[in-house]
């Protein structure tokens, strides 16, 4: 549940920030008549995202075993790529997202009403599609329960409350720290998703070594214990992973964590020309 909650909170807050910035810009610009266009674009983005998630689940449920494993593996790898790109993009864009969105909305207002709705749609749909893909990939290792759905729903509701509080100036959140800490957790979640994708490729017969275990700690990590379910659900930490699974996890998490934590490079100084 926590992994799904984290995905819903992180992606939901990004989308909520976008919507709150657009709404605040229109209100302060005395263009409240354009607010229905923003909400129309947002509603269309949410509908498309839900439909995309349903399509992923429907497709996976109607495939043969090997095909289903391959489909889930591709979805897991794609989700890993998207979440990695999102983490690094948000780290650099968090400080200037407000000014960029306001500039784009100002241009859309000059173009026309449809442009406003399209701009709101495009601003939200990326987060929505990423959320659907990430949720689908992270929930593959879970049992057939409503727990992942409850987690992501709670995460989205929390993000809406935070976004409303920010819009109403009732609370203050250090977004830089928020995206840093959630980024670190999501790197571990993405590493687990990639590890599960490798496991699916092994079960589909695409990659070898399914029964070549890196270690066996089933005597220590009781599969029926609550902490085992927590580790498996959040980071896909299992008692009997294959060598290839552990290698893929380490090859992703270690360099990505290093690059994420590395301080941004200082802007290069322009050398003065000597006449």
């Amino acid at each position: 549940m926590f992994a799904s909650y984290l995905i819903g909170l992180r992606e939901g807050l990004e989308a909520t920030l976008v919507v709150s910035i657009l709404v605040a810009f229109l209100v302060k610009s005395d263009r409240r008549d354009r607010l229905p266009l923003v909400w129309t674009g947002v509603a269309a983005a949410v509908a498309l995202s839900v439909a995309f998630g349903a399509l992923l689940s429907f497709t996976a449920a109607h495939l043969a075993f090997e095909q289903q494993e391959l489909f889930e593996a591709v979805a897991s790898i794609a989700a890993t790529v998207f979440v990695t790109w999102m983490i690094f993009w948000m780290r650099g864009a968090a400080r200037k997202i407000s000014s960029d969105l306001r500039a784009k909305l100002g241009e859309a207002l000059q173009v026309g009403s449809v442009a406003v709705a399209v701009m709101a749609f495009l601003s939200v749909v990326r987060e929505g599609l990423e959320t659907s893909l990430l949720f689908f990939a992270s929930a593959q290792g879970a049992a057939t329960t409503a727990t992942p759905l409850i987690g992501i729903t709670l995460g989205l509701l929390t993000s809406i409350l935070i976004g409303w509080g920010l819009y109403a100036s009732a609370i203050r959140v250090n977004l830089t720290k928020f995206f840093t800490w959630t980024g670190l957790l999501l790197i571990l979640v993405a590493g687990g998703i990639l590890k599960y994708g490798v496991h699916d490729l092994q079960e589909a017969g695409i990659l070898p070594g399914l029964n070549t275990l890196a270690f066996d700690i089933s005597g220590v990590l009781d599969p029926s214990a609550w902490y085992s379910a927590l580790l498996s659900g959040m980071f896909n930490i299992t008692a009997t992973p294959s060598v290839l699974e552990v290698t893929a996890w380490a090859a992703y998490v270690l360099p990505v964590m290093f690059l994420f934590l590395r301080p941004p490079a200082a802007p290069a100084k322009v050398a003065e020309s000597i006449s």
Side-chain angles (χ1 to χ4, degrees):
M1 175 183 284
F2 184 78
S4 298
Y5 176 84
L6 180 63
I7 291 172
L9 176 62
R10 173 69 182 243
E11 296 288 339
L13 185 58
E14 289 183 34
T16 303
L17 286 174
V18 169
V19 175
S20 63
I21 290 170
L22 297 180
V23 172
F25 177 81
L26 290 176
V27 171
K28 292 181 179 180
S29 303
D30 197 22
R31 303 297 299 271
R32 294 175 180 268
D33 58 312
R34 294 293 188 267
L35 287 177
L37 298 172
V38 171
W39 294 120
T40 299
V42 170
V46 171
L48 180 60
S49 302
V50 173
F52 179 62
L55 178 62
L56 289 174
S57 300
F58 177 82
T59 303
H62 289 78
L63 295 174
F65 177 77
E66 291 80 6
Q67 294 175 329
Q68 183 177 10
E69 296 299 318
L70 180 58
F71 179 81
E72 292 176 357
V74 172
S76 297
I77 294 172
T80 304
V81 172
F82 276 119
V83 73
T84 306
W85 175 84
M86 177 266 294
I87 289 170
F88 283 95
W89 176 84
M90 200 62 195
R91 186 183 68 166
R95 296 181 179 179
K96 60 178 182 178
I97 186 173
S98 178
S99 58
D100 288 347
L101 284 172
R102 290 174 181 174
K104 291 179 181 178
L105 183 57
E107 295 173 0
L109 285 170
Q110 295 178 359
V111 174
S113 300
V114 176
V116 175
V118 172
M119 192 265 174
F121 172 81
L122 294 177
S123 298
V124 176
V125 72
R126 180 181 66 85
E127 308 297 342
L129 295 178
E130 283 183 4
T131 302
S132 297
L133 182 59
L134 286 173
F135 174 69
F136 174 80
S138 67
Q140 295 310 304
T144 307
T145 66
T147 302
L149 182 60
I150 295 173
I152 197 169
T153 301
L154 292 175
L156 291 172
L157 290 175
T158 303
S159 70
I160 292 174
L161 291 175
I162 294 175
W164 179 85
L166 289 171
Y167 173 78
S169 299
I171 61 175
R172 292 290 185 271
V173 175
N174 188 320
L175 293 179
T176 300
K177 290 184 178 180
F178 173 85
F179 286 121
T180 297
W181 285 107
T182 56
L184 291 173
L185 288 174
L186 278 179
I187 289 173
L188 296 176
V189 171
I193 292 175
L194 177 62
K195 175 177 172 288
Y196 190 82
V198 171
H199 180 79
D200 281 338
L201 289 175
Q202 290 180 311
E203 288 196 331
I206 305 298
L207 293 177
L210 177 62
N211 297 317
T212 305
L213 303 182
F215 50 81
D216 185 350
I217 56 172
S218 54
V220 178
L221 192 64
D222 183 6
S224 61
W226 66 268
Y227 52 84
S228 300
L230 179 65
L231 292 174
S232 178
M234 284 183 61
F235 309 122
N236 197 25
I237 296 177
T238 53
T240 56
S242 68
V243 172
L244 198 55
E245 288 179 64
V246 174
T247 302
W249 184 92
Y252 170 81
V253 170
L254 296 181
V256 172
M257 190 76 74
F258 171 78
L259 293 174
F260 183 77
L261 292 175
R262 186 178 61 176
K269 295 182 179 180
V270 180
E272 296 181 358
S273 60
I274 302 176
S275 56

